[in-house]
Amino acid sequence: MSPLKKVLNVGGNSKAIPLPPPYAGYEHLLLDIDPTGQPDICCDARLLSTLESGQFDAIYCSHNLEHYYQHDVPKVLAGFRHVLRDQGFAHIRVPDVGAVMKACIERDLDIEDVLYQSSLGPITVMDVIYGYGKQIESSGVEFFAHKTGFTAKSLPRALAKAGFDKIYCTAGNLEVTAWAFKGAPSDEVRAAFGLAA
């Protein structure tokens, strides 16, 4: 019997937040800088390279990479490669700053105008660019602020510079999603996420 695949959820806040369905068969380990969410690994993602190498089949990083300064993003991505096994992959979701700018122009939105409604309430242009203001204010935690941004061009470029071998990228609903592989992607993983050969 083959060992259970392992996914490292980077900056996921809490295991109560479900992972996408393709991770149903994976062992879910949470890495977060904030100990209040009871992560399995309490660590700054800029320090992933200090962990044991090659221990995860996948990394899931949803709306966390934008919380690092641009000059720190290569450290985080290098850490992703470090902890991934051969043929492992990083699955990254970030706000699409290019789509936000386009929406602002098309809809004549100011920075304080509501961009969309969410389960948390109205989300302004400023919230998407700089981080959810209400959360930053109520928590007093500056790490919730956004320190950089990505587009459907800049995220794959950063992943390629970090040494990932095969990169898929999609954009929609004001979000960029990328899958970046260390080595060649397996047919099983490509099928699970609907990625082309």
Side-chain angles (χ1 to χ4, degrees):
M1 185 176 169
S2 62
L4 197 63
K5 289 185 177 181
K6 292 165 66 175
V7 57
L8 182 65
N9 180 2
V10 174
N13 185 257
S14 166
K15 283 189 176 179
I17 301 168
L19 297 181
Y23 295 108
Y26 287 69
E27 179 186 356
H28 175 192
L29 289 111
L30 175 65
L31 179 143
D32 206 284
I33 196 170
D34 183 0
T36 60
Q38 300 181 322
D40 299 291
I41 304 167
C42 191
C43 177
D44 185 321
R46 292 170 292 188
L47 302 175
L48 279 167
S49 293
T50 66
L51 301 179
E52 180 186 337
S53 66
Q55 55 179 314
F56 297 100
D57 299 282
I59 288 171
Y60 180 65
C61 182
S62 180
H63 291 263
N64 181 260
L65 196 59
E66 67 274 16
H67 293 267
Y68 302 92
Y69 288 112
Q70 185 179 9
H71 64 269
D72 282 327
V73 169
K75 292 178 198 169
V76 177
L77 297 180
F80 286 4
R81 284 194 86 253
H82 174 76
V83 298
L84 282 171
R85 294 176 176 147
D86 292 340
Q87 282 198 303
F89 65 97
H91 178 187
I92 301 168
R93 297 167 61 194
V94 292
D96 186 345
V97 175
V100 171
M101 290 189 286
K102 185 176 178 184
C104 288
I105 292 166
E106 290 175 352
R107 293 164 49 192
D108 193 27
L109 297 175
D110 191 55
I111 196 159
E112 295 178 338
D113 289 342
V114 173
L115 185 61
Y116 65 91
Q117 293 289 334
S118 79
S119 59
L120 300 172
I123 302 296
T124 67
V125 174
M126 190 177 295
D127 289 328
V128 177
I129 295 173
Y130 296 107
Y132 185 45
K134 288 183 178 179
Q135 182 185 37
I136 297 166
E137 181 181 9
S138 66
S139 69
V141 178
E142 289 188 18
F143 193 77
F144 287 127
H146 293 178
K147 298 180 179 78
T148 193
F150 298 93
T151 65
K153 290 182 180 178
S154 71
L155 181 58
R157 195 163 48 236
L159 290 162
K161 282 183 183 176
F164 284 94
D165 299 297
K166 178 70 175 175
I167 300 160
Y168 297 85
C169 188
T170 63
N173 298 319
L174 303 175
E175 181 179 72
V176 177
T177 303
W179 294 263
F181 288 83
K182 184 178 176 180
S186 70
D187 292 343
E188 177 189 359
V189 170
R190 283 193 301 96
F193 290 99
L195 305 173

